[in-house]
Amino acid sequence: THDVDEAIFLADRVIVMSSRPGRIQQVFDVGLPRPRMMDTLTDTRFTILKREVLTLIFTLADSAAAKRKERSKSEPRIRTEQT
């Protein structure tokens, strides 16, 4: 799934992958007791884990965007003529 809340709520482990090429960046052990009920969504441990997962995802996204920007600066620009 691409939904962090759903992943934490349903799984015992959450795996965060990088974008192209898709590689495992980190495996998070959920460690929340089962069965998981609605109260789990507001549990402090749930919130902390969600913050850690999202921080990693956004860090990876920022890094990928910076690399794309750097690459686009070094690539030659193609000029097209308009008629």
Side-chain angles (χ1 to χ4, degrees), residues 19-70:
S19 61
R20 302 175 189 101
R23 295 205 168 107
I24 294 174
Q25 294 298 309
Q26 190 166 343
V27 177
F28 294 90
D29 289 317
V30 174
L32 294 169
R34 291 190 177 272
R36 296 184 185 144
M37 304 298 180
M38 290 298 291
D39 290 349
T40 303
L41 296 172
T42 56
D43 186 286
T44 302
R45 294 167 295 179
F46 184 97
T47 306
I48 290 169
L49 180 56
K50 180 179 177 180
R51 183 178 302 123
E52 290 174 1
V53 170
L54 288 174
T55 298
L56 178 57
I57 289 170
F58 283 106
T59 300
L60 292 170
D62 288 345
S63 176
K67 287 178 185 176
R68 281 193 305 277
K69 185 176 181 180
E70 195 59 37

